[in-house]
Amino acid sequence: MSATHTAGASAARAANSRSLELLARAGFVGYGLVHLLFAWLALQIAFGRPADDGDQSGALRTLAAQPLGTFLVGAIGVGLLAMAIWQAFEAAIGHQEYRGRERMVERLTSAGRTLVYLYFAWTAYQVVQKANSSSADKQQALTEQLMGSTGGRLLVGLAGLGLAALGVGLIWYGAVKRFERHLRTGEMDHRMRNVSRRLGVAGYIAKGVAYGIAGLLLLTAAINYDPDQARGLDGALHTLREQSYGAILLTLVALGIGAFGVFCFVQARYRKV
């Protein structure tokens, strides 16, 4: 038996671990809770009230400030780390129900999810460790540092394009209901299937809008050489609030993000893991 085959078999056993599955499902619950808090912060911005960072890191800090909040944030971080490990296995050896180009797309998507879940797990760790600076301030500082380096504006611009493309991809992903292929819809009754479909569509489109605007802000910051414009999702929500009918639009986005949070609870039960 070759070393490659042995390593692949070991990875497959790890990927099918019951403990990893349970942790990943718990991670979806935590991820959903983070997005519900994120939606609440977005609503605060929509109604012109002071709020912490209007993004997921702000949501984690809001949760950490509550009784037993630090413990809950730590538990969410563990769940997100499990989700990252699960998606890393999916990127490496998973999605065998697909073939050719389609399988490659699914594996690349899993690789992207791995990075996202790792980022939020790291953010949860920083919140538990009482890191005080906001994600918006960190992004602005990083953007300013990059712009001062050779080729930095190009990198910031490419990052903005990538984030905007992610936003478009999320909107498409929700609009065509592609998320349903990863759910055990056969175990749902008709009502549950309709509810999960509506939550998924609204959630992914709302997240896509937020990420798309954040990407455009990064791109604009690179073009105008103005790091103050690069403030991530928090800046995107405030920018949306400043537009005509911005409060209404941002309220709809916030409700969509809340729908995604509830959809995460559906995934905790019905996601194929």
Side-chain angles (χ1 to χ4, degrees):
M1 182 179 295
S2 68
T4 301
H5 181 77
T6 301
S10 299
R13 286 194 297 272
N16 292 325
S17 165
R18 178 63 175 168
S19 298
L20 180 60
E21 177 187 345
L22 292 175
L23 281 174
R25 294 194 184 282
F28 274 115
V29 174
Y31 201 46
L33 180 58
V34 168
H35 278 80
L36 288 177
L37 288 170
F38 177 20
W40 170 248
L41 294 177
L43 280 176
Q44 299 300 298
I45 295 172
F47 289 106
R49 299 171 185 168
D52 201 343
D53 278 355
D55 59 11
Q56 293 94 332
S57 65
L60 287 169
R61 280 196 297 277
T62 299
L63 178 60
Q66 310 308 311
L68 297 178
T70 300
F71 170 78
L72 290 173
V73 171
I76 288 172
V78 171
L80 289 168
L81 181 59
M83 291 169 71
I85 294 171
W86 159 52
Q87 283 299 301
F89 280 125
E90 289 285 88
I93 60 173
H95 302 295
Q96 296 186 16
E97 66 271 28
Y98 305 111
R99 292 292 180 268
R101 182 179 177 182
E102 191 173 18
R103 186 186 180 208
M104 180 59 65
V105 170
E106 291 293 337
R107 292 175 71 184
L108 289 173
T109 302
S110 287
R113 290 194 185 107
T114 300
L115 296 177
V116 170
Y117 296 147
L118 279 176
Y119 169 76
F120 288 124
W122 172 248
T123 300
Y125 170 78
Q126 288 185 307
V127 170
V128 170
Q129 294 299 312
K130 302 294 190 298
N132 293 321
S133 57
S134 71
S135 63
D137 290 338
K138 289 178 181 178
Q139 178 166 325
Q140 185 177 342
L142 177 60
T143 303
E144 188 171 358
Q145 183 179 0
L146 280 173
M147 284 187 177
S149 63
T150 303
R153 288 179 68 184
L154 177 60
L155 289 175
V156 172
L158 290 174
L161 284 174
L163 198 55
L166 172 62
V168 172
L170 287 171
I171 292 172
W172 171 83
Y173 194 85
V176 302
K177 307 176 185 67
R178 193 174 177 88
F179 53 84
E180 286 191 311
R181 63 169 54 195
H182 299 297
L183 298 176
R184 299 198 303 269
T185 54
E187 298 179 12
M188 300 178 180
D189 59 25
H190 180 71
R191 180 174 176 275
M192 187 67 228
R193 189 175 303 174
N194 284 336
V195 169
S196 67
R197 179 178 295 134
R198 290 169 183 167
L199 290 171
V201 170
Y204 278 107
I205 289 177
K207 284 191 68 174
V209 169
Y211 278 107
I213 295 174
L216 290 177
L217 289 177
L218 260 183
L219 182 59
T220 302
I223 293 172
N224 296 335
Y225 199 71
D226 184 5
D228 288 341
Q229 294 179 301
R231 293 184 61 83
L233 286 176
D234 178 68
L237 297 184
H238 279 91
T239 297
L240 184 58
R241 174 66 175 81
E242 293 165 3
Q243 309 308 308
S244 299
Y245 305 103
I248 297 174
L249 294 173
L250 183 51
T251 298
L252 292 175
V253 169
L255 292 175
I257 293 170
F260 183 84
V262 179
F263 180 68
C264 287
F265 300 151
V266 173
Q267 292 189 89
R269 170 65 177 84
Y270 293 105
R271 176 77 185 220
K272 297 174 182 176
V273 178

